[in-house]
Amino acid sequence: MKPTNNTILITGGCTGSGLAIAQKLANRGNKVLITGICKHKLADAVLHNPNIIPLHFDVSTEEGVNQLADKVLAEYPQLNIFINNAGQDYRNSQIFEATPCKERLASGYLAGIYISEMLLPLLQKNRNSAIIDLSPVTISHTLNQQPLFSEVVKSIVSYFNMLRYSLRQVANINIFDAVSLGITELSKQETIATRVSELFNQEPFVLAATGVEAYFHYNNNYSLLAESN
């Protein structure tokens, strides 16, 4: 992917690893749209970087997702990268017990799928497009190791694997995930941001003709990105 002049949407981009990614990519000359539900955190995130644009939407609601998609499609038709990073970090937090289960599921699971589906036609039209799914890491923080949500992680990984397979013959869009980037729930924010930003230093990714495997060149070595059989 090209290192600069991208238009990038990052959900959950006003704090934590989302903000760290946004700052790294914005400093390279990319236009970075970040979403969040806290206005003062959004304001702080963009204070010293004109390349970061705040979007105040709650993606744990269907209305918020629809409004976000409508705004992006209408005002940022050049968007070519979506980084799925939404989800509240509930580790060591009393907020976890007070937050309804459906909201945790909506922000950590459904939002990424809905937004991907709504933006897919635009991403397919633009060049050097990609979806980067960090939800397994976000969900592991968001859902506090509850057994139900380990199945949620499997479901969303399965969705993006199937999306990758369905797009195997589309040359200008690629799907990446946390596992392929060596990112886990134990990774530090700076490590996550560095791994994601390194994607933008690479040559265009090549999908195998069979659609079964996707490889990318990383640190001069070819690594397996995904198995979609």
Side-chain angles (χ1 to χ4, degrees):
M1 297 189 295
K2 61 182 183 178
T4 190
N5 294 321
N6 297 286
T7 301
I8 303 162
L9 171 65
I10 305 176
T11 51
C14 63
T15 59
S17 58
L19 177 58
I21 295 168
Q23 290 171 334
K24 276 187 176 292
L25 297 178
N27 288 339
R28 293 183 172 194
N30 296 293
K31 180 182 293 183
V32 183
L33 319 175
I34 61 170
T35 72
I37 59 175
C38 183
K39 289 185 177 180
H40 80 266
K41 289 181 179 179
L42 284 169
D44 289 344
V46 305
L47 190 59
H48 301 295
N49 200 320
N51 287 333
I52 299 179
I53 300 170
L55 300 177
H56 183 243
F57 294 102
D58 182 0
V59 297
S60 70
T61 69
E62 182 178 358
E63 180 183 18
V65 169
N66 289 333
Q67 290 175 345
L68 171 61
D70 288 344
K71 184 175 183 66
V72 170
L73 292 172
E75 299 184 19
Y76 302 98
Q78 70 275 32
L79 182 89
N80 64 315
I81 308 288
F82 169 46
I83 300 179
N84 180 34
N85 184 66
Q88 169 69 42
D89 188 345
Y90 294 99
R91 292 174 297 176
N92 303 317
S93 173
Q94 295 180 346
I95 299 175
F96 177 80
E97 297 300 334
T99 304
C101 176
K102 66 179 183 179
E103 290 185 14
R104 295 178 233 153
L105 278 170
S107 63
Y109 172 47
L110 296 176
I113 292 177
Y114 289 158
I115 295 170
S116 295
E117 291 291 328
M118 292 178 181
L119 298 182
L120 195 56
L122 179 62
L123 295 174
Q124 288 177 292
K125 183 178 69 174
N126 291 333
R127 295 175 59 84
N128 300 300
S129 294
I131 295 173
I132 303 171
D133 175 38
L134 302 180
S135 60
V137 176
T138 306
I139 291 173
S140 69
H141 294 169
T142 300
L143 304 174
N144 208 25
Q145 299 180 345
Q146 292 194 3
L148 166 63
F149 298 111
S150 65
E151 299 304 313
V152 172
V153 172
K154 294 177 185 177
S155 297
I156 197 166
V157 169
S158 177
Y159 166 78
F160 282 106
N161 279 339
M162 291 304 297
L163 183 59
R164 180 186 295 117
Y165 182 79
S166 70
L167 295 172
R168 64 194 183 281
Q169 295 180 334
V170 180
N172 65 314
I173 182 169
N174 292 280
I175 314 295
F176 307 110
D177 55 44
V179 173
S180 68
L181 301 178
I183 296 172
T184 72
E185 66 273 13
L186 301 178
S187 297
K188 296 180 179 180
Q189 292 176 8
E190 183 62 25
T191 299
I192 295 172
T194 298
R195 294 286 173 82
V196 172
S197 66
E198 284 174 347
L199 281 175
F200 293 78
N201 296 331
Q202 309 302 321
E203 293 298 320
F205 293 73
V206 179
L207 295 179
T210 61
V212 175
E213 297 169 336
Y215 291 90
F216 71 102
H217 196 261
Y218 182 76
N219 290 339
N220 298 318
N221 291 296
Y222 281 98
S223 301
L224 181 64
L225 175 61
E227 296 265 348
S228 302
N229 51 2

